[in-house]
C-alpha cells in the first residue's frame, strides 16, 4: 500500500469513498477540508489517501495541520475527523497512517457517524499510534416534539414567533450578514463562499428570524407552533435578520453547525424550526465533552430534548 496526498487524488474519488463508507461523514469530504483551510489560512493540508496495489482507495485520513501539530480546525471546537479504512484493511491502513507520522504531536481524531463500525480502531490506533480513548458526547433528537421541549423554551419560542418571521430561507446573504455582525467578522470571508456552495449543493439549509414590524405568527397548537417562511427575496431597508440557524445534512443526519443571534432568545425558535423542518432521520444538536450539566451551551442544547450518544475520540498522550 502507498500513501498519496489528498491534493493528488481526484475529488470525486475521495468523496465517493467517504460516501460509501459506513462511518464517513461530511467532515471527511473534500468540501469540509477546503473550508478548514479557508478558516485558518496558515494551516496546511496533510490529508492522505491510502491506495492498494490496484490503485484503489482503501483508506483516507483528514489532517489539517497548524504549525507542527495536527489540530482541530472545525466549527464547535471539536477534533479532526478520524481516518477511515475499508473493512478488513483496518490494521494495515492504521500502520500506514502511523508510519506517515499522522499520529504524532497534539492529535485527536473523532467519529460520530456509524461508530458501531469502528470498534477495531480502538485497539489498532492504541497499539500502533499510541492513542488513547477519551469521553465525548453529542445530543441527538430523532423525533422532535413540542412536549419534549423545556417548559421555559416553549414560551420563549412562542414569543419569538409572534415578533419575527421565522422559517427556511434560500437567501444565504441574510445568514452571512447576521453571522458577521454577531461575531464581529471573526472569520475569513472565503468561508462564507464555501457555506453557500454547500447550501446550493443540497448539503445545508438555513433558517432565519426576520424582524418586519407588524408581522406576527399564530399561537402554537399542541403539536408545536406554526412558523412563517422567509422566501429568500431581497430584504427591504427595514428588514433585519436577527438570528439564523445553519444546518448541515448528510446521510440521514442533520448537524446544527452555526447559530448567530443579534437578539436574545430568538435562537431557540430558529433551532426548533430547524429541527421540525429537517428531513433527516436524526438531528444532531451539537458536540460537547463529557456532559456535566454546567456549561451554558450544554444547558441550551439539553432544552430541546433528545438523548446523549457517545462519540469515539482517540487522542495522543501529548494532548
Amino acid at each position: 500500500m502507498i500513501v498519496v496526498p489528498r491534493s493528488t487524488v481526484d475529488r470525486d474519488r475521495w468523496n465517493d469513498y467517504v460516501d460509501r463508507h459506513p462511518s464517513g461523514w461530511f467532515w471527511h469530504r473534500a468540501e469540509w477540508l477546503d473550508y478548514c483551510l479557508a478558516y485558518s489560512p496558515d494551516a496546511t493540508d496533510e490529508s492522505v489517501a491510502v491506495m492498494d496495489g490496484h490503485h484503489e482507495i482503501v483508506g483516507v485520513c483528514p489532517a489539517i495541520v497548524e504549525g507542527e501539530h495536527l489540530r482541530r480546525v472545525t466549527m464547535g471546537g471539536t477534533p479532526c475527523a478520524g481516518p477511515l479504512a475499508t473493512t478488513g484493511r483496518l490494521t494495515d491502513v492504521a500502520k500506514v497512517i502511523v508510519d506517515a507520522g499522522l499520529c504524532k504531536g497534539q492529535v485527536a481524531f473523532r467519529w460520530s457517524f456509524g461508530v458501531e463500525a469502528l470498534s477495531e480502531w480502538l485497539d489498532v490506533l492504541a497499539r500502533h499510534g499510541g492513542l488513547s480513548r477519551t469521553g465525548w458526547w453529542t445530543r441527538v433528537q430523532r423525533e422532535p416534539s413540542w412536549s419534549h421541549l423545556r417548559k421555559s423554551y416553549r414560551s420563549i419560542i412562542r414569543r419569538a414567533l409572534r415578533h419575527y418571521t421565522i422559517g427556511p430561507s434560500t437567501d444565504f446573504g441574510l445568514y452571512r450578514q447576521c453571522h458577521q455582525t454577531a461575531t464581529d467578522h471573526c472569520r475569513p470571508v472565503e468561508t462564507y463562499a464555501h457555506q453557500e456552495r454547500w447550501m446550493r449543493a443540497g448539503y445545508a439549509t438555513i433558517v432565519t428570524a426576520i424582524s418586519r414590524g407588524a408581522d406576527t405568527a399564530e399561537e402554537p397548537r399542541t403539536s408545536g407552533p406554526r412558523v412563517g417562511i422567509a422566501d429568500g427575496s431581497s430584504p427591504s431597508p427595514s428588514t433585519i435578520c436577527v438570528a439564523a440557524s445553519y444546518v448541515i445534512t448528510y446521510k440521514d443526519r442533520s448537524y446544527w453547525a452555526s447559530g448567530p443571534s443579534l437578539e436574545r432568545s430568538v435562537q431557540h425558535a430558529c433551532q426548533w424550526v430547524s429541527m421540525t423542518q429537517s428531513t433527516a432521520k436524526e438531528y444532531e444538536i451539537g458536540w460537547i465533552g463529557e456532559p456535566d450539566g454546567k456549561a451554558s451551551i450544554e444547558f441550551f442544547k439539553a432544552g430541546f430534548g433528545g438523548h446523549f450518544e457517545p462519540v469515539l475520540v482517540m487522542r495522543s498522550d501529548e494532548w
Side-chain angles (χ1 to χ4, degrees), residues 12-26:
D12 290 340
R13 287 191 67 193
W14 179 285
N15 284 340
D16 182 62
Y17 182 83
V18 173
D19 291 345
R20 290 185 289 107
H21 197 286
S23 297
W25 215 70
F26 191 77

Side-chain angles (χ1 to χ4, degrees), residues 155-270:
S155 60
I156 290 173
I157 293 171
R158 286 190 183 104
R159 184 167 58 250
L161 290 173
R162 283 198 301 268
H163 294 286
Y164 305 95
T165 298
I166 302 178
S169 174
T170 58
D171 189 344
F172 181 81
L174 291 174
Y175 162 81
R176 174 175 173 170
Q177 179 187 53
C178 181
H179 190 279
Q180 289 182 315
T181 303
T183 61
D184 194 24
H185 300 262
C186 71
R187 56 182 170 91
V189 172
E190 186 182 349
T191 59
Y192 296 103
H194 285 283
Q195 286 186 283
E196 183 170 11
R197 283 194 290 270
W198 304 344
M199 188 185 78
R200 304 302 177 197
Y203 290 114
T205 57
I206 58 175
V207 165
T208 55
I210 306 298
S211 174
R212 291 186 177 179
D215 279 2
T216 59
E218 294 182 24
E219 286 292 324
R221 300 171 293 180
T222 54
S223 59
R226 298 180 64 178
V227 301
I229 300 296
D231 60 14
S233 59
S234 298
S236 66
S238 61
T239 298
I240 300 175
C241 179
V242 299
S245 178
Y246 186 95
V247 176
I248 295 172
T249 298
Y250 180 71
K251 287 187 176 180
D252 289 331
R253 173 171 284 203
S254 289
Y255 177 84
W256 179 47
S258 175
S261 295
L262 302 179
E263 295 287 346
R264 183 178 180 181
S265 299
V266 181
Q267 185 59 224
H268 298 71
C270 288

